[in-house]
């Protein structure tokens, strides 16, 4: 139900995706010329993605806000150099968000602290995923597809990717967490990412 | 780390799951490896799809705070991009700037397309992986192009189409700051007029310049500046 309503309410965010264009690229181009209103629209479209990625890794809400702010300021500074032939706005901004979040936790907490935190939590990262609130930007359909693709991984592949991406752990930390050889984890992560890429299509 | 091993780090890299030393090694590698660059771009696009699963609305107050910060924040300039085709080695070097190699994939002018690594490519990639790295293209009257990419006390110079400076003469690179012009290095173009050099460059350049001097070098520029660029610093 929600899916249909969103499709109707936001044709720009969904139909354009179908023909491969990037609905956010024109806004990024305008932001790159110093257009703050366009940047505000970009913020509206991307703040859920950025804050979600950051919060999932950083956890602490006020630190998550700080990191989210750093991400958007960096995007603003680099916007004049955005080139839509090199990837989507989503992919770029999401990459910046993940990197900044990971840098923050790795500089502030030892990996041991984070390992203990995750061990104490004793819940698979997929619970975090399943409980997530849907945002207002027409991503619901996509998410089902992503969840389905995750479901098709083997359990051990999914676990490794989730600990790395959602947990913000290095593959070495994932290996320690799961008590597996590092080489095994590296391979699982790679195999999982190849399968996800093939299921989801890489170039959106 | 073996060559095959490093090719297989693209997925972990795209998930930011390498430790700092491996991250650095991989960035130096992927800047010169077409296969890995495509892998990383695809894996990153895939990773962001995972990120969409955890999307969460931030507190409403955050937008005002960000909008007021960006109103005070200067943007980078759009890129001066220098492209140099070195037919001898069939490599194309495209230099840009001021962007971590990590992000360069998404930005105009990125990075280095090449077959296999070499010392210069690796050193350039290392400089570019510094988030403070900047590139300028030096403007000048004469034929040829020169660009400089610098960070962390090192500068990579890429030039193409420079005329022979003449017998007993050489190009000299200057770092110009508030205290004046500092001689950095003599630059000797190859037969085809190209230069690929990494030199020490301590200090905060306000501008870069290139002159022709005697081939023993000069402590201060004695000839007119042929190529010059101000930095945005």
């Amino acid at each position: 139900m929600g899916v249909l309503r969103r499709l109707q309410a936001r044709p720009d965010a969904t139909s354009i995706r179908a023909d491969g264009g990037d609905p956010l690229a024109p806004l990024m181009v305008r932001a790159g010329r110093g257009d703050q209103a366009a940047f505000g629209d970009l913020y509206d479209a991307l703040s859920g993605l950025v804050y979600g990625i950051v919060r999932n890794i950083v956890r602490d809400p006020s630190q998550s806000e700080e990191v989210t702010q750093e991400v958007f300021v960096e995007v603003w500074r680099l916007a004049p150099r955005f080139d839509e032939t090199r990837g989507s706005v989503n992919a770029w901004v999401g990459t910046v968000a993940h990197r900044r979040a990971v840098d923050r936790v790795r500089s502030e907490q030892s990996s041991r602290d984070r390992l203990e935190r995750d061990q104490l939590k004793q819940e698979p990262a997929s619970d975090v995923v399943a409980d997530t609130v849907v945002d207002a930007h027409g991503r619901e359909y996509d998410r089902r597809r992503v969840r389905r693709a995750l479901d098709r991984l083997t359990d051990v592949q999914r676990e490794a990717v989730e600990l790395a991406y959602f947990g913000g752990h290095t593959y070495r930390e994932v290996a320690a967490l799961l008590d597996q050889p590092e080489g095994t984890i590296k391979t699982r992560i790679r195999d999982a990412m190849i399968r996800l890429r093939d299921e989801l299509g890489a170039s959106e | 780390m073996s060559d095959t091993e490093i090719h297989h780090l693209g997925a972990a890299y795209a998930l930011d799951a390498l430790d700092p030393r491996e991250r650095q090694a991989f960035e130096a590698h992927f800047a010169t490896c077409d296969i890995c660059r495509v892998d990383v771009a695809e894996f990153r696009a895939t990773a962001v799809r995972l990120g969409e699963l955890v999307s969460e609305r931030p507190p409403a107050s955050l937008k005002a705070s960000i909008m007021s910060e960006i109103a005070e924040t200067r943007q980078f300039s759009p890129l001066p991009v220098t492209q140099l085709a070195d037919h001898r080695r069939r490599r194309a070097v495209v230099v840009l700037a001021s962007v971590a190699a990590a992000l360069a994939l998404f930005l105009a002018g990125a990075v280095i397309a090449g077959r296999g690594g070499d010392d210069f490519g690796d050193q350039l990639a290392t400089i570019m992986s510094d988030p403070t790295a900047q590139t300028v293209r030096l403007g000048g009257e004469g034929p040829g192009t020169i660009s400089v990419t610098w960070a962390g006390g090192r500068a990579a110079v890429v030039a193409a189409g420079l005329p022979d400076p003449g017998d007993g003469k050489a190009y000299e690179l200057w770092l110009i700051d508030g205290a004046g012009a500092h001689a950095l290095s003599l630059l000797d173009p190859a037969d085809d007029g190209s230069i690929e050099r990494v030199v020490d460059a301590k200090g905060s350049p306000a501008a870069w310049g290139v002159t022709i001097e005697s081939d023993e070098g000069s402590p201060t520029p004695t000839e007119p500046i042929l190529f010059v660029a101000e930095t945005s610093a």
Side-chain angles (χ1 to χ4, degrees):
Chain A
M1 160 199 100
V3 178
L4 276 181
R5 179 178 292 172
R6 283 215 173 75
L7 283 170
Q8 284 156 3
R10 300 187 55 93
D12 55 329
T14 49
S15 60
I16 299 178
R17 197 165 256 274
D19 63 38
D22 182 350
L24 299 179
L27 283 176
M28 187 63 84
V29 170
R30 282 168 52 201
R33 296 185 191 127
D35 183 336
Q36 295 178 21
F39 190 78
D41 291 344
L42 273 179
Y43 177 86
D44 292 340
L46 293 167
S47 58
L49 174 70
V50 171
Y51 186 70
I53 290 172
V54 170
R55 177 113 158 76
N56 215 51
I57 293 167
V58 173
R59 306 288 170 101
D60 176 72
S62 79
Q63 281 201 50
S64 298
E65 283 188 57
E66 276 174 38
V67 174
T68 300
Q69 179 143 352
E70 286 171 19
V71 170
F72 277 102
V73 171
E74 181 167 355
V75 168
W76 166 255
R77 296 178 73 213
L78 290 171
R81 294 177 181 176
F82 174 70
D83 178 350
E84 66 180 299
T85 65
R86 291 179 184 278
S88 70
V89 170
N90 248 13
W92 176 37
V93 175
T95 298
V96 176
H98 194 267
R99 171 66 72 96
R100 285 275 183 168
V102 158
D103 286 348
R104 171 66 70 108
V105 293
R106 290 189 194 153
S107 66
E108 305 234 322
Q109 294 171 286
S110 74
S111 66
R112 179 187 300 254
D113 290 347
R114 283 183 298 121
L115 292 181
E116 280 170 5
R117 178 194 76 183
D118 282 14
Q119 273 161 346
L120 283 176
K121 234 180 20 135
Q122 292 208 331
E123 63 185 40
S126 55
D127 284 3
V128 176
V129 173
D131 288 339
T132 301
V133 184
V134 175
D135 75 9
H137 300 289
R139 303 285 181 206
E140 218 170 2
Y141 175 76
D142 279 336
R143 287 182 182 186
R144 285 194 192 165
R145 224 176 118 201
V146 178
R147 276 205 196 95
R148 268 203 313 270
L150 270 173
D151 285 344
R152 286 197 197 113
L153 299 178
T154 66
D155 289 347
V156 293
Q157 285 174 343
R158 187 167 51 247
E159 189 175 43
V161 161
E162 288 181 350
L163 283 168
Y165 188 78
F166 296 117
H169 295 288
T170 65
Y171 77 87
R172 288 185 206 279
E173 291 170 350
V174 174
L177 257 178
L178 299 178
D179 199 18
Q180 294 285 331
E182 290 174 357
T184 305
I185 296 303
K186 229 190 315 190
T187 307
R188 277 183 199 168
I189 287 176
R190 185 176 151 75
D191 291 348
M193 288 302 288
I194 289 171
R195 280 184 74 169
L196 288 172
R197 176 187 67 187
D198 294 347
E199 292 262 342
L200 295 172
S203 56
E204 290 191 47
Chain B
M1 194 165 354
S2 81
D3 224 40
T4 330
E5 262 181 285
I6 205 159
H7 285 302
H8 285 173
L9 288 178
Y13 176 77
L15 298 176
D16 295 317
L18 297 181
D19 58 34
R21 206 180 328 156
E22 279 176 316
R23 187 198 272 192
Q24 222 176 358
F26 185 77
E27 282 175 354
H29 165 74
F30 96 76
T32 58
C33 174
D34 290 341
I35 297 166
C36 286
R37 281 191 310 131
V38 171
D39 267 358
V40 167
E42 291 182 351
F43 288 142
R44 276 179 169 162
T46 303
V48 170
R49 307 296 304 278
L50 300 178
E52 290 170 3
L53 289 175
V54 294
S55 183
E56 181 179 342
R57 197 189 290 273
S61 58
L62 186 59
K63 183 174 181 181
S65 167
I66 288 173
M67 293 308 288
S68 78
E69 185 172 349
I70 65 122
E72 306 283 310
T73 302
R74 204 170 142 185
Q75 293 180 304
F76 285 111
S77 53
L79 275 195
V81 175
T82 299
Q83 183 152 14
L84 157 69
D86 179 346
H87 297 294
R88 241 179 349 168
R89 278 179 295 151
R90 296 188 175 181
R91 290 176 63 235
V93 178
V94 182
V95 177
L96 89 148
S98 180
V99 170
L103 307 179
L105 277 174
F106 294 101
L107 303 173
V111 158
I112 302 168
R115 293 177 198 287
D118 63 18
D119 278 358
F120 177 78
D122 290 349
Q123 291 183 68
L124 176 57
T126 303
I127 291 171
M128 286 179 45
S129 70
D130 186 319
T132 67
Q134 293 186 58
T135 294
V136 291
R137 178 176 181 157
L138 279 61
E141 309 269 305
T145 59
I146 302 180
S147 71
V148 178
T149 301
W150 74 99
R154 303 276 284 163
V157 181
V158 177
L162 294 181
D164 188 320
D167 278 354
K169 300 276 189 182
Y171 290 94
E172 187 157 11
L173 175 68
W174 305 92
L175 183 158
I176 299 158
D177 62 16
H182 307 277
L184 287 191
S185 176
L186 290 174
L187 303 170
D188 185 21
D191 291 344
D192 64 358
S194 69
I195 294 171
E196 291 181 355
R197 274 283 299 285
V198 172
V199 300
D200 284 330
K202 306 278 186 255
S204 313
W208 297 92
V210 172
T211 60
I212 291 179
E213 303 291 345
S214 101
D215 63 5
E216 291 176 354
S218 166
T220 55
T222 60
E223 301 286 333
I225 293 189
L226 292 177
F227 293 91
V228 67
E230 288 181 32
T231 72
S232 57

